[in-house]
């Protein structure tokens, strides 16, 4: 699979999103009382180790260019990681992932607030329908801290997707990812020491597995968007929700109900329609920023379209 044709690029994205869901599964297998900050620290260290082979893509002469913004984005991302872990442990896999799809909707709102962008009628409909879909999925009677954590993770991803516009343009994806994790490692270490939880082999396995499979997702994304315009294949990323239903059903006996199906449709369908509308209007760049946590939204794509699915 070279990703040089539309069909092969779509297949890569389908496989990539399956790998991302496996990353979520490693988190979901954690116990409810698992030390979250220990997980975050290990996730940082392991991810940095996995990125080391790509050190040549770092601009060592200007390693800390945009350092203040990298620091802010990194710590927002840390909040997102903690929220993601709580959400995945407590919520059904498909439910948590459906709520994560609120991120591109939040990107649209943040772009209006901070960059003065105007929403089209379809984008406004997507915002209203998306948030209504979240309420349908979670339902006020079932609302919990886990639901708020899922929304918090989506908000963190959306904020980072918007802030990436301010980062130095010449920095490579690997450079941005490396600084992101490097900047939050001291905080993660401090939080882990404050947590003072006993060392857990299960947390180590979870952090290693989730980091490795997210890297696999990133590789698939890079290959898929390297030769093919994003607007031709980006809708394939929404297969992540299908994988979430399948994996949740097979491994955790989580059967989606009619509320989940209706709410998911209210979130995803308008986003797909926006993608189709943009495809008809103009071609989009074929560059795709790496998503760090399965945020179904890569920053540069979010910048271009304001609607795309990264936890």
């Amino acid at each position: 699979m070279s990703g040089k044709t539309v069909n092969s690029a779509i297949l890569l994205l389908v496989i990539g999103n399956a790998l991302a869901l496996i990353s979520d599964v490693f988190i979901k297998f954690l116990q409810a009382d698992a030390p979250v900050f220990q997980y975050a620290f290990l996730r940082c260290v392991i991810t940095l180790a996995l990125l080391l082979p790509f050190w040549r893509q770092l601009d060592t002469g200007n390693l800390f260019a945009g350092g203040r913004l990298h620091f802010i984005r990194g710590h927002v991302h840390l909040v997102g990681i903690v929220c993601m872990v709580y959400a995945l442990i407590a919520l059904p896999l498909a439910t948590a992932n459906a709520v994560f799809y609120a991120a591109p909707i939040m990107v649209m709102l943040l772009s209006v607030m901070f960059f003065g962008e105007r929403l089209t009628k379809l984008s406004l409909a997507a915002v209203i329908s998306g948030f209504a879909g979240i309420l349908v999925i979670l339902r006020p009677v079932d609302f919990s801290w886990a639901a708020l954590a899922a929304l918090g993770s989506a908000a963190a991803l959306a904020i980072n997707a918007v802030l990436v516009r301010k980062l130095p343009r010449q920095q490579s994806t690997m450079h941005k990812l490396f600084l992101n994790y490097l900047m939050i490692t001291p905080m993660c270490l401090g939080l882990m020491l404050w947590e003072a939880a006993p060392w857990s082999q299960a947390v180590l396995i979870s952090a290693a597995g989730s980091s490795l499979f997210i890297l696999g997702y990133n590789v698939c994304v890079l290959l898929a968007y390297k030769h093919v315009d994003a607007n031709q294949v980006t809708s394939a990323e929404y297969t992540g929700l299908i994988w979430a239903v399948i994996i949740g059903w097979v491994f955790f006996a989580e059967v989606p109900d009619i509320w989940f199906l209706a709410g998911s449709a209210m979130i995803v369908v308008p986003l797909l329609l926006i993608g189709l509308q943009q495809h008809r209007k103009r071609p989009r760049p074929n560059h795709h920023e790496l998503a760090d946590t399965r945020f179904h939204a890569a920053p540069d794509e979010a910048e271009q379209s304001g609607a795309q699915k990264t936890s």
Side-chain angles (χ1 to χ4, degrees):
M1 289 179 292
S2 63
K4 293 182 179 180
T5 65
V6 172
N7 287 338
S8 63
I10 289 174
L11 183 57
L12 279 168
L13 289 178
V14 172
I15 294 173
N17 277 273
L19 296 177
L21 258 297
I22 295 174
S23 170
D24 288 353
V25 169
F26 272 96
I27 299 173
K28 190 160 184 60
F29 274 126
L30 290 173
Q31 298 296 320
D33 59 348
V36 177
F37 296 130
Q38 185 180 123
Y39 169 87
F41 174 74
L42 290 172
R43 174 80 175 256
C44 286
V45 172
I46 292 169
T47 301
L48 287 172
L50 291 173
L51 292 175
L52 280 179
F54 304 98
W55 66 271
R56 291 187 178 180
Q57 295 187 31
L58 302 181
D59 182 4
T60 53
N62 297 283
L63 182 61
F64 292 103
R68 181 179 298 179
L69 190 55
H70 279 295
F71 182 86
I72 294 172
R73 289 186 74 246
H75 286 80
V76 170
H77 174 58
L78 174 57
V79 173
I81 290 177
V82 173
C83 288
M84 177 189 65
V85 173
Y86 279 121
L88 286 172
I89 290 176
L91 294 175
L93 188 63
T95 299
N97 276 272
V99 178
F100 294 158
Y101 276 87
I105 298 169
M106 293 178 182
V107 167
M108 286 188 276
L109 291 178
L110 291 173
S111 296
V112 171
M113 294 170 59
F114 295 105
F115 295 100
E117 296 184 4
R118 298 180 63 183
L119 291 177
T120 64
K121 291 182 180 179
L122 183 56
S123 296
L124 181 60
V127 170
I128 297 172
S129 178
F131 281 111
I134 292 170
L135 291 177
V136 169
I137 291 172
L138 297 177
R139 297 187 298 284
V141 293
D142 293 337
F143 217 74
S144 63
W145 286 109
L148 289 175
L151 288 171
S153 182
L157 293 165
I159 292 169
N160 274 350
V162 172
L163 289 179
V164 77
R165 303 186 189 195
K166 299 296 185 180
L167 292 177
R169 284 286 184 178
Q170 70 276 13
Q171 287 182 344
S172 68
T173 292
M174 291 301 173
H175 193 129
K176 294 170 185 174
L177 282 174
F178 183 82
L179 279 185
N180 185 76
Y181 281 98
L182 183 65
M183 293 262 183
I184 62 175
T185 298
M187 177 62 76
C188 288
L189 176 60
L191 290 172
M192 182 185 71
L193 294 176
W194 172 80
E195 188 177 42
W199 189 256
S200 171
Q201 184 177 0
V203 172
L204 174 61
I205 294 173
S206 175
S210 61
S211 299
L212 182 62
F213 278 94
I214 279 297
L215 181 61
Y217 166 71
N218 288 333
V219 170
C220 288
V221 164
L222 278 181
L223 292 175
Y225 289 98
K226 186 175 182 180
H227 301 288
V228 177
D229 286 346
N231 56 19
Q232 294 180 289
V233 298
T234 192
S235 59
E237 295 230 36
Y238 292 98
T239 57
L241 196 53
I242 298 174
W243 284 117
V245 172
I246 294 173
I247 294 175
W249 194 354
V250 172
F251 289 97
F252 302 102
E254 299 170 351
V255 181
D257 57 19
I258 189 64
W259 297 102
F260 168 81
L261 297 175
S264 297
M266 293 170 69
I267 295 170
V268 173
V269 171
L271 297 178
L272 290 174
L273 292 176
I274 290 175
L276 289 174
Q277 184 185 65
Q278 291 175 334
H279 175 57
R280 291 169 182 166
K281 284 185 176 181
R282 60 182 172 82
R284 284 161 56 191
N286 61 8
H287 172 72
H288 192 283
E289 184 72 51
L290 280 178
D292 154 63
T293 77
R294 180 174 186 271
F295 181 30
H296 324 328
D300 284 356
E301 282 301 297
E303 177 179 348
Q304 293 294 331
S305 67
Q308 160 85 341
K309 73 174 184 169
T310 161
S311 136

